Amino acid sequence: LNNSNLNGYHNLINCSLAIKLCELLNVKKINIYDAINSFVNLPHRMEKVFSSKEILIINDSKATNGESAAAALSSYKNIFWIAGGISKEDGIGNAINKMQEVKHIILIGKSKQKFKKQITNKNFKIPISESKNLTNAIDIIFEKISKFKNEKKTILFSPAASSFDEFKNFEDRGNQFKKIIKTKLQSEDLIC
């Protein structure tokens, strides 16, 4: 497969199943691979917002639980992760087991304290910042990533929580994220 929109083990499984099903239906291999290699994610689902040699920015606002965020966390490297909102019952959930590539965590929303407690109880040495809102979280992230030289960094907005504390829904939350990122990238003092 040659499609950066299909990062992660979960997408490899999905593609393998789709290929097998298409083969059983006698779809030509060239058509199968053309379809997979031209696939574009739906908005807010590991959606690539920006990519350069230095930074990859992903909008995964649809990740309203820990399991969904875990899939995104296991799909990228050198992650600066924005998480939070209204926590599900299990809090950060399975995302806690997929934080090997996380360099810094910025917590937003009503779940800030719950998520911070879950992460610190696991004794991770990952720095955690708390933010008053999404705009502030993005400001914090850009400040933090400037200290990581010679590595491509991933800004991952994968909240592991629902959006209703500050937003209408996950679409509104994702659209706000993209709008803030666009404004940030257009600022004169930012070089990516």
Side-chain angles (χ1 to χ4, degrees):
L1 304 177
N2 187 22
N3 187 337
S4 63
N5 290 318
L6 293 169
N7 285 341
Y9 183 69
H10 65 292
N11 279 322
L12 180 62
I13 291 170
N14 289 340
C15 287
S16 297
L17 291 170
I19 290 167
K20 194 60 161 168
L21 181 60
C22 288
E23 287 172 346
L24 291 171
L25 295 171
N26 296 316
V27 177
K28 292 180 183 175
K29 282 192 189 262
I30 192 161
N31 293 340
I32 296 169
Y33 287 98
D34 282 348
I36 289 172
N37 291 327
S38 62
F39 177 83
V40 177
N41 297 359
L42 291 171
H44 318 298
R45 293 157 177 88
M46 290 176 51
E47 173 189 19
K48 189 185 307 179
V49 174
F50 177 82
S51 183
S52 72
K53 289 180 182 177
E54 295 183 26
I55 301 172
L56 174 63
I57 303 175
I58 302 295
N59 167 26
D60 193 35
S61 180
K62 179 71 170 92
T64 60
N65 59 60
E67 194 66 38
S68 297
L73 286 168
S74 63
S75 299
Y76 302 99
K77 301 214 177 287
N78 298 320
I79 299 169
F80 291 76
W81 181 31
I82 302 173
I86 297 178
S87 174
K88 304 292 182 174
E89 191 173 315
D90 65 344
I92 210 162
N94 191 37
I96 199 87
N97 300 313
K98 304 294 181 182
M99 295 174 49
Q100 295 82 354
E101 287 291 329
V102 176
K103 304 298 182 193
H104 199 100
I105 302 166
I106 295 86
L107 297 174
I108 61 172
K110 288 187 176 181
S111 64
K112 279 188 281 201
Q113 295 308 313
K114 183 175 185 175
F115 282 11
K116 185 174 184 176
K117 184 176 181 182
Q118 285 182 289
I119 295 164
T120 54
N121 283 347
K122 278 283 204 174
N123 203 24
F124 289 118
K125 303 285 188 237
I126 303 167
I128 301 172
S129 298
E130 293 180 47
S131 176
K132 58 186 175 190
N133 57 40
L134 188 54
T135 301
N136 180 240
I138 293 167
D139 289 340
I140 292 168
I141 278 199
F142 276 98
E143 176 191 319
K144 300 298 179 187
I145 64 171
S146 67
K147 296 175 178 137
F148 280 76
K149 304 293 182 194
N150 303 322
E151 298 176 70
K152 185 162 185 170
K153 291 127 333 229
T154 302
I155 296 173
L156 176 62
F157 181 46
S158 189
S162 67
S163 58
F164 303 116
D165 55 343
E166 297 180 50
F167 305 94
K168 293 178 195 167
N169 50 42
F170 77 85
E171 290 102 339
D172 178 44
R173 176 171 66 184
N175 288 332
Q176 292 299 321
F177 174 76
K178 291 189 287 187
K179 182 179 175 184
I180 297 164
I181 288 292
K182 182 178 179 183
T183 300
K184 190 76 174 170
L185 292 174
Q186 289 173 344
S187 69
E188 294 177 25
D189 60 341
L190 182 64
I191 299 171
C192 295

